Amino acid sequence: MIHIKEAIIVEGRYDVNKIKQLVDTVVIETGGFAIFHDKEKLALIRRIAAERGILVLTDSDGAGFVIRNYLRGAIPKDQVRHAYIPQIAGKEKRKTKGSKEGTLGVEGIPDAVLIKALEKAGIACLPEEYRKARVTKADFFTWGLTGVPGSNERRKKLLKALDLPSHMTTNALLEFINAVADYEQVKQAVDQLDESERKRHCDT
């Protein structure tokens, strides 16, 4: 498992699953061309890029390059790297038919080829002492942010405290937190929410 600083941007959820088996970092999917109209996700990617940098890893077909070029124009040059996979003819096992151009996407590329593409892009590998503890969905439940009465309202308060959109999904919030913060920072924000709620109850 390779541990890197940059967050990796891919096209779809199967690409996310593939990369997370090989690399320990935050992985964000664009949803294909949906990124062109998703201002919230683009804003998220920009904030992550400013904090830790991003590595764009799209398919080697025409659609992949359109998405790549869009992100190239949306993110400052010094905050983004590009990794390129070779054009390999074939079809992913889960698909009934291949892509329009008949080449494998990120999800179908052999592991060794993907690792080589990332290394060629100049990824910044992190030594053990710089790896942060991840916030998990179990932490969200423990902190009352999901799965309990009032969790939705409590999560919105945390979003406001972190200066994030109030309609951000739980998964998007988790990705963002693990990209730009660490466990202790988030726990401190949650503790501040608890303190504010205690004061409000005491004043009523």
Side-chain angles (χ1 to χ4, degrees), residues 13 20 30 39 46 59 61 66 83 97 102 131 135 156 160 181 190:
R13 62 190 177 93
K20 284 190 172 182
T30 67
K39 294 181 179 179
R46 281 173 170 159
D59 294 350
D61 58 10
V66 170
K97 62 178 182 178
R131 296 169 198 164
V135 177
K156 286 183 178 180
K160 184 176 182 181
V190 171

Side-chain angles (χ1 to χ4, degrees), residues 82-176:
H82 292 269
Y84 299 90
I85 59 173
Q87 289 186 314
I88 300 176
K91 175 182 72 68
E92 284 77 13
K93 292 181 180 179
R94 70 177 180 85
K95 296 180 178 179
T96 56
K97 62 178 182 178
S99 67
K100 183 179 179 181
E101 297 179 24
T103 56
L104 293 173
V106 168
E107 66 168 290
I109 294 292
D111 294 355
V113 176
L114 267 179
I115 294 299
K116 185 176 181 180
L118 295 176
E119 291 175 341
K120 190 174 181 179
I123 53 176
C125 294
L126 290 175
E128 185 70 39
E129 61 267 26
Y130 289 104
R131 296 169 198 164
K132 299 177 180 179
R134 293 285 183 87
V135 177
T136 67
K137 287 186 177 179
D139 293 321
F140 272 19
F141 179 79
T142 300
W143 296 335
L145 297 171
T146 58
V148 297
S151 60
N152 187 52
E153 186 62 30
R154 184 171 169 82
R155 195 166 60 252
K156 286 183 178 180
K157 289 180 180 179
L158 179 62
L159 286 166
K160 184 176 182 181
L162 296 174
D163 193 27
L164 295 170
S166 62
H167 56 279
M168 179 179 279
T169 66
T170 301
N171 286 338
L173 173 59
L174 194 63
E175 289 284 7
F176 176 81

Side-chain angles (χ1 to χ4, degrees), residues 175-203:
E175 289 284 7
F176 176 81
I177 284 173
N178 283 321
V180 304
D182 60 29
Y183 181 94
E184 292 303 323
Q185 288 173 323
V186 180
K187 183 61 168 61
Q188 184 178 23
V190 171
D191 289 343
Q192 289 175 348
L193 284 181
D194 290 337
E195 182 63 25
S196 296
E197 290 179 0
R198 281 195 292 268
K199 288 182 178 179
R200 181 168 59 82
H201 286 309
C202 290
D203 292 339

Side-chain angles (χ1 to χ4, degrees), residues 39-111:
K39 294 181 179 179
E40 178 181 315
K41 180 164 289 187
L42 181 59
L44 174 67
I45 291 173
R46 281 173 170 159
R47 288 183 67 172
I48 292 173
E51 179 70 22
R52 60 190 292 168
I54 62 170
L55 183 69
V56 180
L57 179 64
T58 59
D59 294 350
S60 59
D61 58 10
F65 274 87
V66 170
I67 294 169
R68 184 185 296 278
N69 288 333
Y70 174 76
L71 292 173
R72 192 193 305 274
I75 309 296
K77 185 177 180 181
D78 62 336
Q79 296 174 5
V80 58
R81 294 177 186 269
H82 292 269
Y84 299 90
I85 59 173
Q87 289 186 314
I88 300 176
K91 175 182 72 68
E92 284 77 13
K93 292 181 180 179
R94 70 177 180 85
K95 296 180 178 179
T96 56
K97 62 178 182 178
S99 67
K100 183 179 179 181
E101 297 179 24
T103 56
L104 293 173
V106 168
E107 66 168 290
I109 294 292
D111 294 355

